């Protein structure tokens, strides 16, 4: 069975932990059994691996997320990178082409596409397996996951099933009265999960898009129409069935819904007094947070900023966050992470963490010198072609124009002081090593 | 007229902005006319200078505060440093000895002692001038400032005046019924302000303490009994008068009282939504804080930590703050300031800011190397006796044991990466230059 995990989106609804480069699925909110924390994408990926061990997972994502995915899921994760931002149909078409033309998956094999961002338990992964099995057995072209609704919500799509499991109709985001009427008809929420045989989707993609193979489709990806799979395929398909899922399923797109599913009231260095109620504090920075006498409040602190909000009010953050400008202060990359510690007119100080065996790109800058000081671990610095072994306390001066990289032998931490005017992430020229 | 400003205390009631090395009077809460912010000590010092231009001010303080005082009030401020922590009588005795034996002030001159930490307006400084004048005119040995009480508080001392301005009795911290009864008798709160002729206090100090001159008293300061001036002198004095002050006067020792007197709802990079009520945010760090839907909340963020508290609840912070451990992350010094940006097992990164013309002590370390990178300004580094002019982008390697300092020609900012084990502020040996 093939799973295509859709890891899309980015945005600021969970600011300051989500931002332009860090989608909510990468934030480590959830407690693991070993006492650590995992992100939504780790939870989803590991859950599928655990419950459906024979499933092959491919993550379909944009290029801005590939690095974070490798950081969190490991280098060996199969990623199908969309060269541009389109909607779910182009993304699924590309992933399907990847499975057929690159991985040589048989067209009779079941594929289940699912979003990465609902909060679910293991029974959800079992439902995914049932959908994969149903794809082979039930003869339908598309098998959907219908979520048993818990209340008449206006924000989901509704699937009205017949008794035999086929689908009578769809209704996207009804009003409250409409939602109530749909619940009377045993309608199910559309969980965004689609099961089909690989050949079916390959056929659909060739119907819509004139392409030869994966490489060809990728090359013309830029020019594809933005359209969701619901509009492009599902709404037009007659031979469609739905499998009902009534376990825990929650859209955790806001601080309020997210904190509802957190097992702990805090993550990170956090202290509460005895009078806090229904208050959650997520602290990603080094200094302690003390919360006293708060009711229904969420506090979140990251290198980018701090929000302190009444949980209900936090849903209305977008216009306020849009006004807050500033560079991205923290990012996870395939090779490790970086964090901006200080910004001055003529300089910036960045802490770079490299995972063992990894290195950054070989690159140079036109408008800044850099001074590296190794503060943890060992590695090899390469400056204008010359190798030099470095360890704690070693400094490397990198004048404007010099080509440089550093490779981590062990976990390596480097304090990088950038000095120059017009310091900008775009001032970076990559070179072949 | 001589003013002795008592700048004492330290503590955590305004954590994370106050801490073991930074007393509340140094936090810049108050808006100035030019749009900047000033601290309580700056407000008090500048207010006295403005309203009583002919007053000479001496700040009596502990050695831990001398550096911060010079940073905030300028190098030329007259400071009488207590070599150890005693109570107000030894502090005033030392300051009086300083005025007589070092400054050669006439024993007939009026001295007014006042605490640095009430929140007051200009009429308070005028009342101080009236007390200084009364000291000369009224023939009393001590003239107190009596604050017109606004409510029957249990936390102040009460002075019961006679109609002629002499004092009938004192009552320290009565219970609520007692306070109400005292208000009926037109009792005044004790504002902690004492006026006297210099010779009177010199006489009292010689009565209690066997010393020759300022240097002698300072040398034996360690051995003095801890006693307040109220117990040592005021309570025993018969010839005492009180002058009533009924302007604004407020003890701003807690987040609740402090935010009551702040003119603005925020200091620093702060954003509010439209639904916050009676909420104050003080942000001393670089990243933005967004507050949404909060009622009666105070948020304060510094390099040491973040508090988010219901204003009433914040008064009970002490036991929680006591549990929070960590090094001091930010300090103002006579020469500038330092801020810890990052702490690792084998290293620490500190941003050092030196004011023009200033330098740090000439010193060495036993257990750490340091790497300096100049990120702003120009200066002269001295390493093992050798001078070197440095500017932006220059790095200086300071191995263990080397003697070093840097002198700022202009405002100078240096990123200091410390590398070594057991990094500790105590690992510092001072040398003569």
């Amino acid at each position: 069975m093939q799973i295509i995990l859709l890891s899309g989106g980015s945005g600021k609804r969970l600011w300051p932990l989500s931002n332009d480069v860090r989608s909510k699925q990468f934030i480590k909110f959830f407690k693991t059994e070993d006492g650590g924390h995992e992100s939504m994408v780790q939870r989803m990926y590991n859950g599928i691996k655990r419950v459906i061990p024979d499933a092959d997972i491919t993550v379909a994502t944009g290029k801005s997320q590939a690095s974070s995915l490798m950081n969190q899921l490991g280098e060996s994760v199969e990623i199908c990178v969309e060269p541009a931002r389109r909607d779910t149909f182009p993304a699924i078409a590309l992933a399907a082409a990847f499975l057929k033309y690159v991985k040589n998956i048989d067209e009779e094999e079941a594929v289940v596409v699912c979003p990465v961002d609902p909060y679910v338990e293991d029974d959800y992964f079992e439902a995914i397996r049932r959908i994969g099995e149903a794809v082979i057995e039930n003869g339908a072209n598309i098998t959907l996951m219908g979520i048993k609704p818990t209340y008449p919500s206006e924000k989901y799509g509704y699937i009205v099933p017949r008794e035999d499991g086929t689908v009578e109709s769809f209704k996207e985001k009804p009003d409250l009265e409409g939602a109530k009427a749909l619940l009377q008809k045993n309608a199910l929420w559309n969980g965004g999960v689609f099961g089909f045989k690989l050949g079916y989707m390959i056929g659909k993609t060739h119907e819509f898009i004139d392409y030869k193979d994966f490489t060809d489709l990728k090359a013309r990806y830029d020019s594809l129409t933005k359209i969701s799979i619901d509009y492009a395929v599902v709404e037009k398909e007659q031979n469609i069935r739905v499998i009902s899922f009534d376990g825990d399923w929650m859209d955790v797109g806001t601080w309020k819904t997210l904190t509802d599913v957190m097992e702990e009231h805090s993550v990170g260095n956090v202290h509460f007094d005895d009078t806090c109620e229904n208050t959650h504090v997520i602290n990603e920075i080094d200094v302690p947070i003390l919360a006293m006498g708060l009711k229904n409040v969420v506090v979140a602190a990251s290198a980018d900023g701090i929000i302190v909000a009444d949980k209900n009010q936090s849903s209305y953050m977008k216009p306020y966050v849009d006004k807050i400008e500033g560079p991205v202060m923290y990012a996870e990359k395939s090779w490790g992470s970086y964090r901006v510690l200080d910004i001055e007119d003529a300089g910036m100080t960045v802490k770079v963490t490299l995972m063992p065996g990894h290195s950054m790109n070989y690159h140079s800058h036109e408008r800044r010198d850099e001074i590296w000081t190794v503060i943890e671990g060992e590695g090899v610095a390469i400056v204008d072609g010359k190798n030099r072994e470095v360890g704690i306390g070693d400094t490397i001066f990198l004048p404007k124009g010099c080509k440089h990289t550093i490779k981590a032998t062990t976990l390596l931490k480097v304090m990088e002081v950038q000095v120059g005017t017009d310091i900008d992430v775009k001032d970076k020229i990559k070179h072949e090593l």
Side-chain angles (χ1 to χ4, degrees), chain A:
Chain A
M1 185 190 308
Q2 300 293 321
I3 308 283
I4 298 172
L5 263 184
L6 293 181
S7 180
S10 87
K12 298 176 171 173
R13 284 201 300 163
L14 296 178
W15 184 90
L17 302 194
S18 71
N19 59 34
D20 287 339
V21 303
R22 189 190 195 198
S23 298
K24 65 179 180 189
Q25 59 261 38
F26 296 108
I27 310 168
K28 294 183 181 173
F29 294 113
F30 302 113
K31 198 172 182 178
T32 55
E33 282 180 10
D34 64 3
H37 290 87
E38 64 183 359
S39 70
M40 212 173 285
V41 74
Q42 288 174 319
R43 197 182 150 89
M44 185 67 80
Y45 187 82
N46 296 334
I48 293 172
K49 286 231 159 196
R50 186 175 58 246
V51 177
I52 323 175
D54 61 333
D56 290 330
I57 305 175
T58 300
V59 187
T61 192
K63 54 184 173 176
S64 66
Q65 291 188 10
S67 205
S68 299
L69 280 165
M70 284 190 272
N71 181 296
Q72 294 203 348
L73 302 180
E75 288 283 294
S76 63
V77 59
E78 199 78 79
I79 300 180
C80 174
V81 178
E82 302 147 34
R85 274 212 175 190
R86 290 292 173 267
D87 207 330
T88 50
F89 178 59
I92 292 166
L94 189 70
F98 176 77
L99 292 178
K100 175 167 171 62
Y101 299 104
V102 179
K103 306 281 289 179
N104 297 312
I105 303 299
D106 191 289
E107 291 207 352
E108 284 301 300
E109 193 159 332
V111 179
V112 183
V113 174
C114 53
V116 81
D117 56 358
Y119 177 87
V120 294
E121 307 279 358
D122 277 357
D123 52 0
Y124 179 83
F125 309 122
E126 275 148 20
I128 288 177
R129 175 165 51 195
R130 287 207 312 279
I131 289 172
E133 288 162 0
V135 163
I136 303 301
E137 292 159 12
N138 68 12
N141 283 332
I142 293 181
T143 303
L144 300 175
M145 181 188 281
I147 311 287
K148 278 266 196 195
T150 43
Y151 67 107
S153 169
E154 302 171 69
K155 63 179 185 169
Y156 298 122
Y158 286 75
I159 302 166
V160 183
R162 294 195 192 87
E163 282 200 3
D164 65 355
T166 60
V167 172
E168 184 184 307
S169 63
F170 294 96
K171 175 70 189 172
E172 192 62 19
K173 296 188 179 64
D175 61 17
L176 187 62
E177 287 311 305
K180 285 180 183 168
L182 286 160
L183 293 199
Q184 293 294 323
K185 295 172 76 175
N186 295 319
L188 301 161
W189 287 338
N190 180 6
V193 174
F194 309 92
F196 44 77
K197 286 183 184 168
L198 179 57
Y200 169 79
M201 190 57 65
I202 292 291
K204 284 288 162 196
T205 62
H206 280 294
E207 235 176 69
F208 282 89
I209 308 166
D210 177 28
Y211 76 96
K212 216 164 63 219
D213 56 14
F214 173 73
T215 312
D216 184 38
L217 181 60
K218 195 165 177 175
R220 64 179 71 199
Y221 198 84
D222 263 2
S223 64
L224 300 185
T225 308
K226 289 187 185 181
I227 186 167
S228 76
I229 191 160
D230 301 85
Y231 286 118
V233 180
V234 183
E235 281 197 352
K236 302 192 178 89
E237 178 59 58
Q238 299 301 313
N239 184 8
I240 192 165
R241 298 180 72 93
V242 61
I243 285 185
S244 163
F245 168 69
D246 69 351
D248 282 342
W249 179 91
M250 203 159 172
D251 175 19
V252 291
T254 63
W255 279 118
K256 178 161 169 48
T257 50
L258 182 79
T259 53
D260 278 351
V261 300
M262 279 176 63
E263 272 180 48
E264 311 154 290
H265 281 265
S266 70
V267 177
N269 188 352
V270 176
H271 305 256
F272 290 103
D273 77 346
D274 302 329
T275 66
C276 286
E277 290 171 23
N278 189 28
T279 287
H280 284 77
V281 182
I282 297 114
N283 183 8
E284 285 199 342
I285 58 178
D286 294 336
V287 302
I289 296 180
L290 171 59
M292 300 186 73
L294 304 176
K295 317 268 183 269
N296 307 313
V297 167
V298 60
V299 181
S302 81
D304 286 338
I306 300 166
I307 189 171
V308 182
D310 175 86
K311 284 187 182 176
N312 292 313
Q313 204 61 29
S314 66
S315 311
Y316 308 107
M317 67 194 295
K318 190 171 180 309
Y320 300 98
V321 175
D322 285 345
K323 273 187 272 179
I324 296 174
E325 287 174 12
V328 169
M329 302 290 274
Y330 176 79
E332 287 175 344
K333 298 285 187 177
S334 55
W335 43 261
S337 64
Y338 76 86
R339 178 166 171 189
V340 176
L341 295 176
D342 186 66
I343 298 176
E344 285 281 346
D345 289 345
M348 194 155 98
T349 302
V350 179
K351 180 178 173 178
V352 178
T353 301
L354 284 156
M355 292 188 288
H358 284 72
S359 58
M360 51 181 83
N361 294 310
Y362 192 47
H363 67 282
S364 63
H365 309 285
E366 292 188 338
R367 293 192 303 278
R368 66 176 189 249
D369 302 334
E370 291 182 348
I371 297 96
W372 283 345
T373 305
V374 177
I375 57 171
E376 186 176 327
E378 289 170 11
V380 178
I382 307 175
V383 183
D384 283 333
K386 284 188 189 142
N387 288 22
R388 176 182 154 197
E389 287 187 17
V390 292
I392 290 183
D394 284 336
T395 61
I396 304 124
F397 182 65
L398 307 161
K400 283 180 194 70
C402 89
K403 299 172 190 171
H404 56 276
T405 182
I406 189 163
K407 180 167 179 173
T409 312
T410 65
L411 180 75
L412 185 74
K413 295 184 184 176
V414 175
M415 198 58 68
E416 173 178 294
V417 182
Q418 306 174 356
V419 181
T421 43
D422 301 318
I423 285 184
D424 190 313
V425 286
K426 288 173 194 148
D427 175 17
K428 186 172 183 178
I429 304 152
K430 292 184 188 178
H431 306 278
E432 291 294 314
L433 188 60

